[in-house]
Amino acid sequence: VKDNNARETRLGLAFHIPSSQGNDVNALDLASDILGARESSRLVRVLKKEKGLVNSIYASSVTPKDPGLFVISATLDAKNLKPVTETIMEEVSRLASKPPSKEELDRAKTHIESEHIYGRETVQGMARGVGSYMADLGDPEFEQKYLRLNEQVTPEQISTVVKNYLTAPNVTVSVLAPEKDSNSLRIE
């Protein structure tokens, strides 16, 4: 898509995943944290810090009651679109073929749990969480179940869900580029 107002290119990769009612939601959430939910995540480290190919990059697993999306999004210069896309898929493939270390998985578990704890610091935060789980999933107790299940996820389960869902045939790619760069863009 061309945009006259865009100053940088935005890349989005959306992999189709099951809903929060499926058995893989915890492993998918932990995989998104390992790949790109914090500054020490793999994609941030490789693409932003080491190679300097992106201005920002983030991974997130969106798992509502209906089937969800595992999204990797980045902002970058248009000239870096191909190497960034290739590096993302290489890192995804690496995680599919080699499970994360126990330490890396434990960091992801701690990060996700701490986000939930910080979200409950206020009465408003607690009400928002309970209301959201009730409205979206019909279960106001879902958060506690979710955190208990997170603790049980193994490194091998992370690789399995990445292998099962984060594949080229299962992805939708979107690019929003400044109009001046849009004619030269191509993703294969």
Side-chain angles (χ1 to χ4, degrees):
V1 175
K2 301 175 191 178
D3 185 351
N4 289 332
N5 298 317
R7 291 186 173 33
E8 62 187 350
T9 299
R10 295 183 183 276
L11 169 66
L13 287 82
F15 298 90
H16 306 273
I17 60 174
S19 73
S20 59
Q21 306 300 312
N23 294 328
D24 295 330
V25 65
N26 296 82
L28 286 162
D29 286 353
L30 289 161
S32 73
D33 192 277
I34 289 166
L35 284 170
R38 55 198 152 80
E39 284 298 305
S40 61
S41 297
R42 292 180 180 198
L43 294 172
V44 175
R45 188 183 70 246
V46 172
L47 286 167
K48 185 176 180 185
K49 295 179 179 177
E50 293 174 9
K51 295 184 178 184
L53 293 174
V54 299
N55 301 321
S56 66
I57 188 156
Y58 188 79
S60 173
S61 179
V62 181
T63 50
K65 189 187 293 187
D66 297 316
L69 294 172
F70 188 108
V71 177
I72 299 172
S73 58
T75 58
L76 58 144
D77 289 332
K79 69 179 191 267
N80 295 332
L81 188 60
K82 185 174 180 178
V84 166
T85 306
E86 288 172 351
T87 302
I88 289 170
M89 294 310 292
E90 287 167 7
E91 286 299 318
V92 167
S93 179
R94 186 172 290 118
L95 187 56
S97 63
K98 183 177 182 216
S101 68
K102 181 181 179 329
E103 294 77 22
E104 187 176 28
L105 179 55
D106 285 345
R107 282 193 302 272
K109 289 177 180 180
T110 300
H111 182 245
I112 287 175
E113 184 176 9
S114 67
E115 284 186 328
H116 283 266
I117 290 169
Y118 294 139
R120 293 189 311 253
E121 282 186 327
T122 65
V123 173
Q124 181 182 11
M126 286 187 273
R128 185 180 314 120
V130 170
S132 173
Y133 292 123
M134 184 61 194
D136 295 343
L137 306 172
D139 184 359
E141 304 293 321
F142 181 79
E143 181 178 38
Q144 295 309 314
K145 295 172 191 172
Y146 170 85
L147 291 173
R148 278 194 305 275
L149 290 172
N150 250 17
E151 285 305 313
Q152 298 170 16
V153 174
T154 65
E156 292 74 23
Q157 286 174 289
I158 300 294
S159 288
T160 298
V161 297
V162 170
K163 199 178 305 175
N164 289 344
Y165 299 109
L166 307 190
T167 61
N170 190 39
V171 67
T172 300
V173 178
S174 66
V175 177
L176 176 65
E179 188 166 14
K180 66 179 178 58
D181 297 325
S182 63
N183 292 330
S184 63
L185 297 179
R186 181 168 171 80
I187 296 180
E188 298 174 12

